[in-house]
Amino acid sequence: MTEINNVVTNVLSPVFGHRYPTVVRGDRCWVEDASGRRYLDAMSGGSMAATLGHGRKDIIDVARRQARQLSFAHNERLTNPMQEQLAAELASVAPTDFTRVKFVTGGSEANETALRVARAYHVERGDMDRWQVVSPAQAYHGPTLQTLALTGRPGLHGPLGPYLPQHLHIPPCTSHFDPTGEAALAALDQVLELAGPRSVSAFFCEAISAAALPAYGPPRRFWEGVEERRREHGFLVCFDEVVTGIGRTGTWFAANACPLVPDVIATAKGLGAGYAAIGAVLVRDEVYQAFAKGSRRFTLGHTWDGAPLSCAVGLKVLQVLRNEKLLERVAARGPRLRAELEAALSDITMVSEVRGHGFLLGIEFADPRDKGSFLPPDLRVAGRVEQTCFDNGLLIYSTQPTRDGFAGDQCLFAPPFVAPDEDLAEMVERFSTSVRRVAAEVDRQLAMTDRPFASVPPDA
Ligand SMILES: Cc1ncc(COP(=O)(O)O)c(C=O)c1O
């Protein structure tokens, strides 16, 4: 079969009429398109799922063996050894006291299930009115209607507003607006008051942000403040660890290194590492006990939840992470990678911050005229960096939610954990070359026009 590159795709794509490169094969942290052109994959498959790189024969062999033995069995009436083992293993690497797991097939399903757990937990305990969820506005939790409602970004909601439940939002405590976290805590107090007593079911957030605020982790004080309010108000804390779970930040979960232990963790991408569609929701024993002492039921599920094939892949992924000491590698190599990026970008005035936790790194850009304001959104700076990287054979991710008011142009850098040093060095080189090229153009554009600064005030 002839492999055709750069096709106008037949699927409902993000940009209609755009010619998409057609990738046809991958090997570790390289992917190849139909014309034979190779790209360095600094985004683990584009969405941070392929944490162990492409083309791993050991995982493929496990999947093949399991598919022959028993690929699928619906878990409403049946269970299977792969699901049972994977549940036990996940509970053993989660923070203390996490004892039960529910499998799903992706990140949004994991987050939706976490929401269902939180609501049902309160109902099981007779707290019938708790349903509202509070979450930081600058976030991404998925495209389903409940998960979309958890972000407070009108730009993402688009025309779907009428379908979205009215959850409550606080501004994120970014280094830009609220480096101490105190303003976000004050906003949390306000929305708790607005919601009224015993009406909030959960505080829902990413422990370390992924695409929405690349690699940003709130300060310690913020977590302490959320803990104080959890004790006082009785809501649950749910962590969206769809990206950070299973090693991305150098620990099994970001929660393992967070001053606040959540009640529920939702995870997905790295669990299947791009070889199976699998996600999971982990709950603390206290949450489980509410069900165990109550209705003794947690109903509703999806067809592929806990399927032997995807759970066998998940088990192999955990084994690879352990055998190849990849958490240790990410924890040790991540800070050096961040330092290398920082050094390579240090002379570029529009680079305002390089952040990082393990192999999740964020690069933020600011207006070079005052080194602080957001760049004018119409310059599409981060998008141009992403495109220039692509032209230089490097896959990264960019985001420009400036008009939503909480963050400006940023790029995300999240290589597979197995990327060898020479490939990491090449990624840094290609990235800094691309940023430098765009920065020179932006400097020229800003000098020629008097585009206004774009410092948008936070507005939840
Ligand atoms: C932090 C976070 N949560 C949830 C999701 C949604 O996961 P999925 O696309 O698997 O539904 C994503 C996807 O990118 C994500 O980055």
Side-chain angles (χ1 to χ4, degrees):
M1 195 179 100
T2 323
E3 294 169 341
I4 303 170
N5 204 26
N6 286 333
V7 295
V8 174
T9 166
N10 288 324
V11 303
L12 283 177
S13 55
V15 185
F16 283 21
H18 178 73
R19 294 204 164 270
Y20 283 88
T22 315
V23 287
V24 291
R25 57 187 65 82
D27 180 18
R28 198 131 34 146
C29 48
W30 290 87
V31 289
E32 189 178 312
D33 72 16
S35 73
R37 184 158 186 243
R38 278 157 45 89
Y39 304 82
L40 251 180
D41 179 7
M43 271 302 291
S44 301
S47 79
M48 299 164 277
T51 53
L52 303 180
H54 305 280
R56 281 203 72 126
K57 199 170 165 312
D58 50 354
I59 303 178
I60 297 161
D61 286 346
V62 162
R64 186 184 293 131
R65 269 201 305 278
Q66 186 60 46
R68 274 206 201 104
Q69 186 172 334
L70 180 69
S71 173
F72 176 79
H74 190 223
N75 75 1
E76 191 177 355
R77 302 272 187 273
L78 305 164
T79 188
N80 67 81
M82 297 298 127
Q83 166 168 257
E84 296 302 323
Q85 272 177 48
L86 186 56
E89 290 224 12
L90 282 178
S92 77
V93 298
T96 16
D97 267 357
F98 276 80
T99 54
R100 290 296 193 285
V101 178
K102 162 98 180 112
F103 290 105
V104 291
T105 57
S108 317
E109 284 180 12
N111 284 337
E112 292 242 353
T113 306
L115 284 180
R116 285 202 288 125
V117 166
R119 163 77 182 145
Y121 161 85
H122 294 297
V123 171
E124 292 282 358
R125 300 164 79 245
D127 228 348
M128 314 302 278
D129 295 333
R130 288 185 185 270
W131 71 272
Q132 284 209 287
V133 182
V134 181
S135 54
Q138 180 60 26
Y140 180 71
H141 299 293
T144 58
L145 298 177
Q146 275 290 343
T147 57
L148 204 51
L150 294 178
T151 80
R153 294 165 60 187
L156 276 185
H157 292 167
L160 298 172
Y163 294 135
L164 305 180
Q166 295 303 302
H167 291 310
L168 302 160
H169 300 290
I170 59 170
C173 47
T174 62
S175 43
H176 200 88
F177 294 120
D178 176 25
T180 64
E182 291 293 352
L185 289 172
L188 179 54
D189 287 336
Q190 267 175 17
V191 294
L192 287 169
E193 171 134 9
L194 183 77
R198 303 184 90 87
S199 61
V200 171
S201 153
F203 180 75
F204 205 103
C205 66
E206 295 169 84
I208 297 169
S209 301
L213 210 54
Y216 185 75
R220 188 179 189 87
R221 173 65 202 130
F222 177 73
W223 296 123
E224 289 166 356
V226 173
E227 172 69 76
E228 290 156 13
R229 285 151 184 86
R230 168 167 65 178
R231 276 202 219 110
E232 189 185 336
H233 295 271
F235 53 76
L236 295 187
V237 173
C238 300
F239 274 6
D240 172 347
E241 295 226 32
V242 169
V243 167
T244 52
I246 322 296
R248 171 61 63 194
T249 58
T251 47
W252 284 105
F253 293 96
N256 296 89
C258 183
L260 173 81
V261 181
D263 302 289
V264 182
I265 297 175
T267 193
K269 300 187 190 249
L271 184 54
Y275 293 87
I278 181 169
V281 177
L282 292 81
V283 300
R284 252 173 131 165
D285 200 52
E286 195 210 316
V287 176
Y288 169 71
Q289 289 304 333
F291 292 87
K293 292 177 187 148
S295 70
R296 302 190 61 74
R297 289 164 69 78
F298 186 70
T299 53
L300 301 177
H302 304 270
T303 300
W304 270 86
D305 291 355
L309 177 59
S310 32
C311 289
V313 168
L315 275 169
K316 183 65 187 173
V317 166
L318 298 195
Q319 191 194 73
V320 169
L321 287 165
R322 283 202 182 93
N323 288 354
E324 298 181 14
K325 299 201 178 335
L326 290 173
L327 264 56
E328 292 84 340
R329 170 165 167 75
V330 169
R333 191 63 181 84
R336 273 173 41 222
L337 182 58
R338 171 187 168 166
E340 286 158 11
L341 266 173
E342 219 161 15
L345 300 169
S346 61
D347 61 320
I348 307 175
T349 41
M350 74 171 190
V351 175
S352 60
E353 191 175 26
V354 180
R355 301 184 283 262
H357 293 268
F359 271 22
L360 183 65
L361 294 122
I363 300 92
E364 190 163 320
F365 305 110
D367 195 318
R369 293 172 295 182
D370 70 350
K371 299 188 172 62
S373 304
F374 295 146
L375 281 147
D378 61 316
L379 290 182
R380 292 196 60 259
V381 172
R384 283 159 64 187
V385 170
E386 180 178 340
Q387 182 59 47
T388 310
C389 286
F390 182 82
D391 297 341
N392 284 334
L394 175 70
L395 305 181
I396 56 119
Y397 184 83
S398 67
T399 172
Q400 298 118 322
T402 320
R403 289 191 169 94
D404 289 337
F406 307 107
D409 291 69
Q410 301 156 95
C411 285
L412 181 60
F413 208 87
F417 308 165
V418 293
D421 279 353
E422 58 273 23
D423 286 345
L424 292 175
E426 186 66 29
M427 288 176 194
V428 172
E429 167 60 28
R430 292 186 191 194
F431 184 67
S432 57
T433 304
S434 307
V435 176
R436 190 163 286 109
R437 187 168 310 156
V438 174
E441 291 165 15
V442 168
D443 281 344
R444 268 197 304 279
Q445 283 176 301
L446 290 173
M448 278 175 354
T449 67
D450 45 3
R451 274 193 177 79
F453 292 101
S455 203
V456 186
D459 171 22

Short mmCIF file of all heavy atoms in Angstrom, two decimals, residues 184-217:
data_model
loop_
_atom_site.label_atom_id
_atom_site.label_comp_id
_atom_site.label_asym_id
_atom_site.label_seq_id
_atom_site.Cartn_x
_atom_site.Cartn_y
_atom_site.Cartn_z
N ALA A 184 -5.43 32.74 45.71
CA ALA A 184 -6.26 31.59 45.31
C ALA A 184 -7.02 31.05 46.52
O ALA A 184 -8.19 30.66 46.41
CB ALA A 184 -5.40 30.49 44.69
N LEU A 185 -6.37 31.04 47.69
CA LEU A 185 -7.05 30.56 48.90
C LEU A 185 -8.19 31.51 49.30
O LEU A 185 -9.27 31.05 49.71
CB LEU A 185 -6.05 30.42 50.05
CG LEU A 185 -5.06 29.26 49.89
CD1 LEU A 185 -3.99 29.32 50.98
CD2 LEU A 185 -5.78 27.91 49.93
N ALA A 186 -7.94 32.81 49.15
CA ALA A 186 -9.01 33.77 49.46
C ALA A 186 -10.19 33.55 48.50
O ALA A 186 -11.36 33.59 48.91
CB ALA A 186 -8.48 35.20 49.35
N ALA A 187 -9.87 33.27 47.23
CA ALA A 187 -10.94 33.02 46.25
C ALA A 187 -11.68 31.73 46.61
O ALA A 187 -12.90 31.63 46.46
CB ALA A 187 -10.35 32.91 44.84
N LEU A 188 -10.93 30.75 47.13
CA LEU A 188 -11.56 29.49 47.53
C LEU A 188 -12.55 29.75 48.68
O LEU A 188 -13.68 29.23 48.68
CB LEU A 188 -10.47 28.48 47.95
CG LEU A 188 -10.92 27.10 48.43
CD1 LEU A 188 -11.82 26.41 47.41
CD2 LEU A 188 -9.70 26.21 48.71
N ASP A 189 -12.12 30.57 49.64
CA ASP A 189 -13.03 30.93 50.74
C ASP A 189 -14.31 31.58 50.22
O ASP A 189 -15.40 31.28 50.67
CB ASP A 189 -12.33 31.88 51.72
CG ASP A 189 -11.29 31.15 52.54
OD1 ASP A 189 -11.41 29.92 52.71
OD2 ASP A 189 -10.33 31.81 53.01
N GLN A 190 -14.11 32.46 49.25
CA GLN A 190 -15.29 33.17 48.70
C GLN A 190 -16.27 32.20 48.05
O GLN A 190 -17.47 32.27 48.28
CB GLN A 190 -14.83 34.15 47.63
CG GLN A 190 -14.59 35.54 48.18
CD GLN A 190 -14.01 36.44 47.08
OE1 GLN A 190 -14.08 36.13 45.90
NE2 GLN A 190 -13.44 37.55 47.49
N VAL A 191 -15.74 31.27 47.23
CA VAL A 191 -16.69 30.39 46.53
C VAL A 191 -17.31 29.39 47.50
O VAL A 191 -18.47 28.99 47.33
CB VAL A 191 -16.08 29.65 45.30
CG1 VAL A 191 -15.69 30.61 44.21
CG2 VAL A 191 -14.93 28.77 45.68
N LEU A 192 -16.58 29.01 48.55
CA LEU A 192 -17.17 28.10 49.55
C LEU A 192 -18.33 28.80 50.25
O LEU A 192 -19.38 28.20 50.52
CB LEU A 192 -16.12 27.65 50.56
CG LEU A 192 -15.09 26.64 50.03
CD1 LEU A 192 -13.93 26.46 51.02
CD2 LEU A 192 -15.74 25.29 49.73
N GLU A 193 -18.13 30.07 50.51
CA GLU A 193 -19.19 30.85 51.15
C GLU A 193 -20.39 31.00 50.21
O GLU A 193 -21.54 30.83 50.60
CB GLU A 193 -18.63 32.22 51.54
CG GLU A 193 -19.68 33.15 52.01
CD GLU A 193 -19.30 33.88 53.28
OE1 GLU A 193 -18.13 33.78 53.71
OE2 GLU A 193 -20.20 34.54 53.83
N LEU A 194 -20.08 31.31 48.96
CA LEU A 194 -21.12 31.48 47.95
C LEU A 194 -21.94 30.19 47.79
O LEU A 194 -23.17 30.21 47.69
CB LEU A 194 -20.43 31.82 46.62
CG LEU A 194 -21.29 32.12 45.41
CD1 LEU A 194 -21.84 33.54 45.54
CD2 LEU A 194 -20.47 32.01 44.13
N ALA A 195 -21.23 29.06 47.78
CA ALA A 195 -21.92 27.78 47.58
C ALA A 195 -22.80 27.44 48.78
O ALA A 195 -23.84 26.79 48.63
CB ALA A 195 -20.90 26.68 47.35
N GLY A 196 -22.39 27.86 49.95
CA GLY A 196 -23.17 27.56 51.16
C GLY A 196 -22.68 26.28 51.82
O GLY A 196 -22.01 25.46 51.19
N PRO A 197 -23.03 26.12 53.11
CA PRO A 197 -22.51 24.98 53.86
C PRO A 197 -23.00 23.64 53.32
O PRO A 197 -24.10 23.54 52.81
CB PRO A 197 -23.05 25.22 55.28
CG PRO A 197 -24.13 26.24 55.15
CD PRO A 197 -23.90 26.99 53.88
N ARG A 198 -22.15 22.64 53.38
CA ARG A 198 -22.46 21.25 52.99
C ARG A 198 -23.01 21.14 51.57
O ARG A 198 -23.93 20.35 51.30
CB ARG A 198 -23.46 20.63 53.97
CG ARG A 198 -23.01 20.66 55.41
CD ARG A 198 -24.00 19.96 56.31
NE ARG A 198 -23.66 18.55 56.43
CZ ARG A 198 -22.81 18.06 57.32
NH1 ARG A 198 -22.22 18.85 58.17
NH2 ARG A 198 -22.54 16.79 57.36
N SER A 199 -22.46 21.95 50.67
CA SER A 199 -22.92 21.81 49.29
C SER A 199 -21.78 21.48 48.33
O SER A 199 -22.03 21.09 47.19
CB SER A 199 -23.64 23.08 48.83
OG SER A 199 -22.74 24.15 48.90
N VAL A 200 -20.54 21.62 48.80
CA VAL A 200 -19.41 21.31 47.91
C VAL A 200 -18.98 19.86 48.12
O VAL A 200 -18.73 19.42 49.23
CB VAL A 200 -18.24 22.29 48.15
CG1 VAL A 200 -17.00 21.84 47.39
CG2 VAL A 200 -18.64 23.69 47.70
N SER A 201 -18.91 19.17 47.01
CA SER A 201 -18.55 17.75 47.04
C SER A 201 -17.04 17.55 46.98
O SER A 201 -16.49 16.72 47.68
CB SER A 201 -19.25 17.09 45.85
OG SER A 201 -18.58 15.98 45.43
N ALA A 202 -16.37 18.34 46.11
CA ALA A 202 -14.93 18.09 45.90
C ALA A 202 -14.20 19.35 45.46
O ALA A 202 -14.78 20.23 44.82
CB ALA A 202 -14.75 17.01 44.84
N PHE A 203 -12.92 19.38 45.83
CA PHE A 203 -11.98 20.31 45.21
C PHE A 203 -11.20 19.47 44.20
O PHE A 203 -10.63 18.44 44.56
CB PHE A 203 -11.03 20.93 46.25
CG PHE A 203 -10.06 21.88 45.64
CD1 PHE A 203 -10.47 23.14 45.25
CD2 PHE A 203 -8.73 21.52 45.43
CE1 PHE A 203 -9.57 24.03 44.65
CE2 PHE A 203 -7.83 22.40 44.83
CZ PHE A 203 -8.26 23.66 44.45
N PHE A 204 -11.20 19.89 42.95
CA PHE A 204 -10.69 19.05 41.86
C PHE A 204 -9.55 19.79 41.16
O PHE A 204 -9.72 20.92 40.72
CB PHE A 204 -11.82 18.82 40.85
CG PHE A 204 -11.67 17.58 40.04
CD1 PHE A 204 -12.41 16.45 40.33
CD2 PHE A 204 -10.77 17.54 38.98
CE1 PHE A 204 -12.28 15.30 39.57
CE2 PHE A 204 -10.63 16.40 38.22
CZ PHE A 204 -11.39 15.27 38.52
N CYS A 205 -8.38 19.19 41.08
CA CYS A 205 -7.28 19.92 40.44
C CYS A 205 -6.19 18.97 39.95
O CYS A 205 -6.16 17.81 40.30
CB CYS A 205 -6.66 20.90 41.43
SG CYS A 205 -5.85 20.09 42.81
N GLU A 206 -5.32 19.52 39.11
CA GLU A 206 -4.08 18.82 38.77
C GLU A 206 -3.06 19.17 39.85
O GLU A 206 -2.94 20.34 40.22
CB GLU A 206 -3.55 19.31 37.42
CG GLU A 206 -4.47 18.98 36.26
CD GLU A 206 -4.04 19.72 34.99
OE1 GLU A 206 -3.15 19.22 34.30
OE2 GLU A 206 -4.60 20.80 34.72
N ALA A 207 -2.34 18.18 40.35
CA ALA A 207 -1.32 18.47 41.37
C ALA A 207 -0.19 19.28 40.74
O ALA A 207 0.35 20.22 41.34
CB ALA A 207 -0.79 17.18 41.95
N ILE A 208 0.17 18.89 39.54
CA ILE A 208 1.11 19.67 38.71
C ILE A 208 0.44 19.77 37.35
O ILE A 208 0.03 18.75 36.79
CB ILE A 208 2.48 18.97 38.60
CG1 ILE A 208 3.12 18.85 39.99
CG2 ILE A 208 3.39 19.71 37.64
CD1 ILE A 208 4.32 17.95 40.04
N SER A 209 0.31 20.98 36.85
CA SER A 209 -0.46 21.15 35.62
C SER A 209 0.27 20.58 34.42
O SER A 209 1.50 20.62 34.34
CB SER A 209 -0.72 22.64 35.37
OG SER A 209 -1.42 23.19 36.45
N ALA A 210 -0.53 20.12 33.47
CA ALA A 210 0.05 19.61 32.22
C ALA A 210 -0.09 20.67 31.14
O ALA A 210 0.49 21.74 31.25
CB ALA A 210 -0.61 18.30 31.86
N ALA A 211 -0.93 20.43 30.14
CA ALA A 211 -0.96 21.33 28.99
C ALA A 211 -1.48 22.73 29.30
O ALA A 211 -1.09 23.70 28.65
CB ALA A 211 -1.80 20.71 27.88
N ALA A 212 -2.35 22.87 30.31
CA ALA A 212 -2.99 24.17 30.53
C ALA A 212 -2.07 25.20 31.15
O ALA A 212 -2.24 26.41 30.96
CB ALA A 212 -4.23 23.99 31.40
N LEU A 213 -1.08 24.73 31.91
CA LEU A 213 -0.16 25.65 32.60
C LEU A 213 1.13 24.84 32.78
O LEU A 213 1.46 24.44 33.89
CB LEU A 213 -0.78 26.00 33.96
CG LEU A 213 -0.49 27.34 34.62
CD1 LEU A 213 -0.81 28.49 33.69
CD2 LEU A 213 -1.31 27.46 35.90
N PRO A 214 1.80 24.58 31.68
CA PRO A 214 2.80 23.50 31.66
C PRO A 214 3.75 23.45 32.85
O PRO A 214 4.48 24.40 33.13
CB PRO A 214 3.56 23.76 30.36
CG PRO A 214 2.54 24.39 29.47
CD PRO A 214 1.71 25.26 30.39
N ALA A 215 3.69 22.34 33.56
CA ALA A 215 4.62 21.99 34.64
C ALA A 215 4.51 22.90 35.85
O ALA A 215 5.41 22.94 36.69
CB ALA A 215 6.07 21.95 34.14
N TYR A 216 3.38 23.59 35.98
CA TYR A 216 3.23 24.49 37.13
C TYR A 216 2.69 23.73 38.33
O TYR A 216 1.66 23.07 38.25
CB TYR A 216 2.29 25.67 36.80
CG TYR A 216 2.25 26.63 37.95
CD1 TYR A 216 3.33 27.48 38.18
CD2 TYR A 216 1.20 26.62 38.85
CE1 TYR A 216 3.34 28.31 39.28
CE2 TYR A 216 1.21 27.47 39.95
CZ TYR A 216 2.28 28.30 40.15
OH TYR A 216 2.30 29.12 41.24
N GLY A 217 3.37 23.86 39.45
CA GLY A 217 2.90 23.27 40.69
C GLY A 217 2.67 24.37 41.71
O GLY A 217 3.54 25.22 41.91
#
